[in-house]
């Protein structure tokens, strides 16, 4: 399922980039290393930056499809096959359950 893959990619990015950066920020918070002015980015700002980068990597085709589905939902015309949606969700949660 494509949505699950994107969410997985975002979590992977979080674990690889945000968590180590948060640890580094926590170690340097509250300590003064020199009397010079310096700028530090909060861990929240860093998370937002990484999330924006992950979102911006989504293809334009994908955005067009999302916008189309959003329009159909707003018009009350979106009617996905619920059994297929449920099957894909369960397959994403339990990938080795067999089908």
């Amino acid at each position: 399922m494509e949505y699950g893959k994107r969410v997985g990619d975002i979590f992977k990015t979080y674990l690889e980039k945000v968590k180590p950066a948060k640890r580094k920020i926590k170690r340097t918070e509250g300590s003064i290393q020199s009397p010079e002015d310096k700028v530090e980015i909060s861990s929240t700002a860093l998370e937002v930056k990484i999330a924006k980068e992950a979102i911006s990597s989504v293809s334009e085709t994908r955005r067009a499809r999302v916008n189309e589905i959003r329009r159909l939902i707003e018009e009350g015309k979106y009617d996905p096959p619920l059994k297929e949606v449920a099957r894909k969700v369960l397959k994403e949660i339990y990938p080795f359950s067999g089908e």
Side-chain angles (χ1 to χ4, degrees):
M1 181 147 96
E2 191 65 30
Y3 297 111
K5 182 179 182 318
R6 292 298 305 157
V7 170
D9 290 344
I10 291 170
F11 282 137
K12 182 179 177 186
T13 301
Y14 174 82
L15 292 174
E16 291 174 352
K17 295 182 180 177
V18 176
K19 268 191 136 180
K22 284 175 94 171
R23 282 191 217 115
K24 184 178 180 182
I25 288 170
K26 284 181 182 177
R27 278 183 279 186
T28 60
E29 282 179 352
S31 64
I32 299 174
Q33 297 177 350
S34 69
E36 301 171 7
D37 290 337
K38 65 180 181 177
V39 175
E40 289 186 16
I41 299 173
S42 71
S43 58
T44 304
L46 185 59
E47 288 178 28
V48 169
K49 177 184 177 275
I50 292 172
K52 283 183 178 181
E53 288 172 358
I55 291 170
S56 68
S57 68
V58 175
S59 72
E60 191 58 41
T61 304
R62 185 75 160 158
R63 285 190 188 128
R65 179 69 178 136
V66 168
N67 289 335
E68 174 66 15
I69 291 172
R70 183 176 289 138
R71 184 185 62 76
L72 290 171
I73 290 170
E74 288 171 357
E75 293 175 0
K77 296 178 181 177
Y78 186 67
D79 188 27
L82 297 180
K83 285 185 179 182
E84 184 64 26
V85 172
R87 185 177 295 114
K88 286 182 179 183
V89 168
L90 290 173
K91 186 175 181 182
E92 191 68 29
I93 294 171
Y94 305 108
F96 302 110
S97 64
E99 193 172 324

